[in-house]
Amino acid sequence: MKPDQKPDIKPDFTPDIVVVGGGLAGCEAAWQLAKRNFRVRLFEMRPFVRTAAHETDGLAEVVCSNSFGGEGDTGAAGILKAELELGDSLILRCARLSRVPAGGALAVDREDFSRRVSGHIEGHPFIEVRREEVTDLPPAAVIATGPLTSPAMARALQNSIGDRYLSFFDAVAPIVTRESVDMEKAYTAGRYGRGNDYINCPMNKEEYLAFYEALIEAERVLPHPGESQSNDTMLSGKDAYFEGCMPIEVMAARGPDTLRFGPMKPVGLPDPKTGREPYAVVQLRQDNKEGTLYNLVGFQTGLKWGEQSRLLRRVPGLENADIVRFGVMHRNIYVNAPAVLDEYLRLKKSDLQENNLKESNFKENNLNESNLRESSFIFLAGQITGVEGYMESTAMGLAAGVNAARLLAGRPLSPWPRETAIGSLIGYLQGAETGEKAFQPMNANLGIFPPLPQRIKDKRQKARVIYERALTAARVFWDDL
Ligand SMILES: Cc1cc2nc3c(=O)[nH]c(=O)nc-3n(C[C@H](O)[C@H](O)[C@H](O)COP(=O)(O)OP(=O)(O)OC[C@H]3O[C@@H](n4cnc5c(N)ncnc54)[C@H](O)[C@@H]3O)c2cc1C
């Protein structure tokens, strides 16, 4: 659509609910609502207001890689897709129709994909697409404005939930599974003998210098074109790293010893095998309550994922590490979900929402006041909830859409079963793994599912058991809906 074209306004269209953001999550949420016969007004600000990464006017534009991850029963990405299929996900359906060859992964022709989604959404009699930026929180809505939420909407959210609960930058260190760390080489210890909570991977001088050389030569992910073009100071400054969040490659560029005096400091961590402090140490800290995941302390990085993989394999003890989440450094607006979202992805009530509701025009969304008084009617969906990834964002769109539809129908909400991938992501957002203080975005991985009663060493076999358990729970859930 060209900026001078009229938005697609349907005459006499009275929406039941508003969806803000026509990305992966917003389109999925709108679809789930419309297929349950609710009328949706979907706001998408492009092309009139642009983001730093989107390049087209199409709905559901895939901004970077064209891969939606693995399929099948041998990984969390496959489990999530199987659940999305059970939920009749529009995004998954269109992705499969736009598939291009990519081995075991689901990769799409991004233009064809966006065209298909746009066709379904714009052509749906119960969905009206408005090309407008939304700058305030509507009284009843699904907010799916993504990691590049417009500054005005980010401010509205900030005003509602409080400054400290909205993050603008994602600085994440890689996370590995505990069972893939070679404990013959690594050892548990806290600095200066304080407890045994950390796993320490020791390096001698030779190993450290080789690691350092590889690190300074490693390729970084280039900032997306235009990523620093925001005119809002709150969202700008792609190289202005937060204190304590400096990427390791930036630290390393300051000299060979910077890391040894920073995150790789060996002081107070003698290796029990030698009784001496190593030359350098990579520390791993527990990342979930079950103790199945560990993050690399201070190792936030914007290196390409292949480079991260190669580098980590150079660390003694991590040669065969199973990396469940790579490090990232990018603009990413997300809420502190454990603090502000309930288990149905609704914003917990704040005073501001109370006022909004009182002042709003309830006729617009066919809701009665008592329904709203009992529960906040602002759902979040997509990456902004604190998940990471195309399919994860879609899943949070599906869950928000289904939950919003149930609320509109005056039916009780049911929590997503915890054994499912969607339930595990929501469980993660509820702080099941990290709590409120250490919350950072997460993608679907086997480590966030509840533990199995039995220990299974083989990763593929374990995934299959988790897959069966998830799909059984998901089928029962959808049958009950
Ligand atoms: C630069 C970048 C690269 C990424 N690369 C990958 C990758 O390779 N693989 C991967 O799995 N994930 C990637 N992600 C993470 C994430 O999966 C995607 O961003 C995904 O598109 C998120 O889906 P979403 O629906 O939450 O947001 P989006 O798909 O971004 O949709 C949000 C929509 O809301 C609109 N909008 C924003 N504010 C307003 C407003 N106030 N009013 C109206 N409309 C508004 C935007 O224009 C946009 O269309 C990347 C993220 C970023 C920022």
Side-chain angles (χ1 to χ4, degrees), residues 20-25 43-46 51 54 63-65 132-134 144-150 153 331 382-383 389-390 393:
V20 187
L24 300 174
F43 286 94
E44 169 51 57
M45 66 181 185
R46 291 176 289 121
T51 79
H54 292 83
V63 286
C64 192
S65 152
E132 251 175 79
E133 181 189 9
V134 177
T145 45
L148 305 169
T149 291
S150 74
M153 178 50 83
R331 184 100 26 86
Q383 180 110 348
Y390 295 147
S393 298

Side-chain angles (χ1 to χ4, degrees), residues 235-310:
L235 302 175
S236 65
K238 67 178 160 43
D239 284 327
Y241 303 111
F242 294 139
E243 200 58 40
C245 281
M246 188 171 292
I248 47 160
E249 59 275 16
V250 174
M251 263 186 269
R254 294 179 173 178
D257 279 332
T258 314
L259 287 172
R260 285 207 323 121
F261 289 96
M264 295 179 76
K265 190 165 69 175
V267 180
L269 288 170
D271 183 342
K273 285 186 215 78
T274 61
R276 288 196 310 273
E277 284 171 1
Y279 191 73
V281 152
V282 173
Q283 282 205 297
L284 276 65
R285 187 195 294 125
Q286 188 171 331
D287 200 80
N288 64 346
K289 281 193 183 137
E290 286 81 20
T292 51
L293 302 178
Y294 273 69
N295 67 64
L296 274 68
V297 180
F299 261 60
Q300 52 279 349
T301 173
L303 294 179
K304 287 192 170 169
W305 290 7
E307 299 281 22
Q308 292 186 37
S309 218
R310 273 192 290 279

